[in-house]
Amino acid sequence: MKKVRGKYLWLAVLLCAVLSLSGVDVQAQGKKKVIQLSGIVLGEDSISGIPGVHVYVPKAGRGTTTNRVGYFSMPTLVGDEIVISAIGYEKQYYRIPDTDKENLTILIELVSDTTFLETVEIMPFPTEEIFKEAVLALNLPVREDVNNENLNDELLALMLQTTPMDASMNHRYYIDNWVQYQGDKFGPRPNPLLNPFNWARFFKSLKNKN
């Protein structure tokens, strides 16, 4: 009976020791120092600030963006890894150091993310001068893979009628409807046939044709 009690006593002591160590670890993690991180993100010229740059901590899911002059400010913890990213620039990384200061100011210079594309030959002319001479002489190369039957007037007219609107045309259609709605909001739409000035312009155009 004493052996069983001693065994349970040792287990209780071991459990208390593990809980105390874990509690110390959690308490140490919970007491990470908060540092107010501020800074300016500059371009390659080291003069102008870059607006709209994302400054965030991926693991914590918090961050901010730079204002119109490239300035930002956000609270961070010691050991946080800051990611600075913007479209057209390479990502930069910064780790918050363990310092006695409560405020930290940094200066970040982003490098352009340049992508070099292969040379594309649009027309088989080595120089611009030779291309101009070919245009003036009406001696442009004719592609043999183009079917001229697909370029007749009837087919092009059918394509024009059945082709849906693109983004710019949809935007123009929306703006026209919005302007028309603003004009009809305060009263009925006027009938152009009842406008005497329209009739005067109509008769004048008939006389000019004659």
Side-chain angles (χ1 to χ4, degrees):
M1 191 68 178
K2 292 182 179 180
K3 291 182 178 180
V4 175
R5 290 181 178 178
K7 183 178 180 180
Y8 282 115
L9 180 61
W10 279 108
L11 289 175
V13 172
L14 182 61
L15 182 60
C16 291
V18 172
L19 291 176
S20 62
L21 291 176
S22 63
V24 171
D25 189 15
V26 172
Q27 187 177 6
Q29 293 180 359
K31 288 186 177 180
K32 281 188 176 181
K33 186 177 181 181
V34 179
I35 297 178
Q36 187 69 23
L37 178 65
S38 303
I40 297 178
V41 181
L42 301 176
E44 291 181 331
D45 56 359
S46 302
I47 299 176
S48 57
I50 304 176
V53 179
H54 299 283
V55 184
Y56 61 99
V57 184
K59 293 184 178 180
R62 63 177 182 274
T64 184
T65 56
T66 59
N67 60 7
R68 59 186 182 87
V69 295
Y71 175 80
F72 72 93
S73 181
M74 58 178 291
T76 59
L77 299 176
V78 174
D80 283 347
E81 184 175 359
I82 311 298
V83 179
I84 301 97
S85 65
I87 298 176
Y89 296 91
E90 297 181 357
K91 288 185 178 180
Q92 300 289 341
Y93 301 91
Y94 180 80
R95 184 177 294 275
I96 304 299
D98 189 2
T99 178
D100 297 334
K101 299 180 180 178
E102 296 182 354
N103 300 311
L104 187 62
T105 303
I106 59 176
L107 190 64
I108 301 172
E109 183 177 348
L110 294 183
V111 180
S112 298
D113 187 7
T114 306
T115 302
F116 294 95
L117 302 178
E118 297 181 359
T119 303
V120 178
E121 184 180 0
I122 305 300
M123 295 292 289
F125 295 100
T127 61
E128 184 179 357
E129 287 75 14
I130 297 178
F131 173 72
K132 290 181 179 179
E133 292 177 1
V135 171
L136 295 176
L138 299 178
N139 188 20
L140 295 176
V142 179
R143 293 181 53 184
E144 298 180 355
D145 57 340
V146 176
N147 189 358
N148 293 327
E149 295 180 356
N150 297 329
L151 301 178
N152 60 75
D153 296 338
E154 295 180 358
L155 182 58
L156 293 177
L158 180 61
M159 293 173 60
L160 180 61
Q161 294 177 0
T162 58
T163 302
M165 294 189 299
D166 58 0
S168 61
M169 295 179 65
N170 280 323
H171 176 71
R172 180 60 181 270
Y173 177 75
Y174 169 77
I175 294 298
D176 291 342
N177 287 338
W178 181 82
V179 173
Q180 187 175 354
Y181 169 77
Q182 295 297 325
D184 299 341
K185 185 167 60 174
F186 301 102
R189 186 182 306 174
N191 189 350
L193 297 177
L194 301 179
N195 190 348
F197 296 100
N198 291 339
W199 286 103
R201 284 192 292 267
F202 173 70
F203 290 122
K204 185 177 180 180
S205 63
L206 291 178
K207 291 181 181 178
N208 293 334
K209 291 182 178 179
N210 297 330

